[in-house]
Amino acid sequence: AQTIHQWPVAEIKAVGSPLSLGCTIKGKSSPNLYWYWQATGGTLQQLFYSITVGQVESVVQLNLSASRPKDDQFILSTEKLLLSHSGFYLCAWSRDWGDEQYFGPGTRLTVL
Amino acid sequence: GEQVEQLPSILRVQEGSSASINCTYENSASNYFPWYKQEPGENPKLIIDIRSNMERKQTQGLIVLLDKKAKRFSLHITDTQPGDSAMYFCAASVDSNYQLIWGSGTKLIIKP
């Protein structure tokens, strides 16, 4: 069975500080990977997608970057946090494009 | 950018009755339409989806309808139960750009 793990569970960070969020998928080789941002009580905004290791495409510009250093690992990061970065960050995977996306448990980020 | 409009934002129905949520999309090339349910503090989970080669799909008390001409799709929950209370999101995707556009969500409240 496939499992998806995100870390950390929650973060409280200062404006201007760096950030790194991680996501690992076990049990599935070469998954499609996605990063989403969700404001409290709001809709999901797709940030990045990756269909293969080393390749990441940006969907929106939010002063964030993403990398896929390994087939099963997806990293979201920024060098300088903004207040607007607060929210719920969700990693997801799918077998192929157009298939069900399976979401991780998410990371709650609060920027003060 | 492309949008998916979802209505209503809040829906209150009596337990045992039906609930309907409607979404419209802009891109006529959209060909995959999933519906996700998100409970408070949890990640979204797929409940049903439909592809553009179908007009209707039904599973376990859920019905989804797709009208490609009107660029509209809808979710119908029959015989609602307290466990159906949650946020529901529709989404639409186009194969060519690996992007899932999400609706703004509907908070479904089942009244006992």
Side-chain angles (χ1 to χ4, degrees):
Chain A
Q2 299 83 18
T3 58
I4 179 169
H5 175 59
Q6 284 187 245
W7 72 93
V9 172
E11 277 265 47
I12 300 175
K13 304 277 281 187
V15 169
S17 63
L19 174 76
S20 182
L21 304 180
C23 174
T24 299
I25 293 83
K26 297 298 182 188
K28 175 71 180 84
S29 62
S30 306
N32 284 6
L33 298 176
Y34 315 89
W35 275 113
Y36 287 91
W37 173 79
Q38 185 178 32
T40 302
T43 190
L44 285 89
Q45 171 66 62
Q46 185 175 339
L47 303 175
F48 299 93
Y49 68 87
S50 172
I51 59 174
T52 191
V53 61
Q55 287 188 17
V56 177
E57 299 294 334
S58 171
V59 174
V60 292
Q61 294 300 324
L62 285 180
N63 293 307
L64 295 167
S65 60
S67 64
R68 186 171 177 177
K70 301 179 189 177
D71 185 52
D72 64 353
Q73 196 173 77
F74 208 16
I75 307 295
L76 183 71
S77 60
T78 182
E79 293 187 1
K80 229 174 189 181
L81 278 166
L82 307 172
L83 282 173
S84 58
H85 285 137
S86 291
F88 197 38
Y89 287 85
L90 290 154
C91 177
W93 73 272
S94 69
R95 289 181 173 81
D96 205 346
W97 178 246
D99 287 343
E100 176 177 359
Q101 292 189 17
Y102 299 89
F103 285 83
T107 294
R108 176 76 57 191
L109 175 66
T110 303
V111 183
L112 302 174
Chain B
E2 296 182 27
Q3 289 191 342
V4 171
E5 185 176 8
Q6 181 173 348
L7 291 171
S9 55
I10 301 176
L11 179 59
R12 294 182 176 87
V13 301
Q14 207 70 38
E15 181 179 346
S17 64
S18 298
S20 296
I21 304 171
N22 299 291
C23 291
T24 56
Y25 59 98
E26 296 180 347
N27 191 337
S28 56
S30 293
N31 57 5
Y32 175 62
F33 307 91
W35 286 89
Y36 282 81
K37 176 182 179 182
Q38 186 177 26
E39 312 219 29
E42 301 285 321
N43 55 7
K45 292 179 175 62
L46 182 76
I47 53 172
I48 191 169
D49 57 12
I50 191 167
R51 299 184 189 276
S52 56
N53 60 350
M54 299 177 72
E55 295 178 349
R56 186 179 192 277
K57 187 174 180 181
Q58 181 171 358
T59 179
Q60 295 178 330
L62 302 174
I63 301 170
V64 60
L65 303 175
L66 173 62
D67 181 345
K68 285 177 290 186
K69 228 175 187 178
K71 290 193 254 183
R72 182 171 57 219
F73 58 113
S74 56
L75 173 70
H76 306 272
I77 306 173
T78 60
D79 188 24
T80 53
Q81 300 298 310
D84 294 326
S85 293
M87 282 291 288
Y88 289 81
F89 292 96
C90 64
S93 78
V94 178
D95 279 350
S96 59
N97 64 5
Y98 295 92
Q99 187 177 352
L100 203 55
I101 310 293
W102 295 72
S104 53
T106 296
K107 184 173 184 177
L108 177 62
I109 300 167
I110 308 301
K111 300 181 288 185

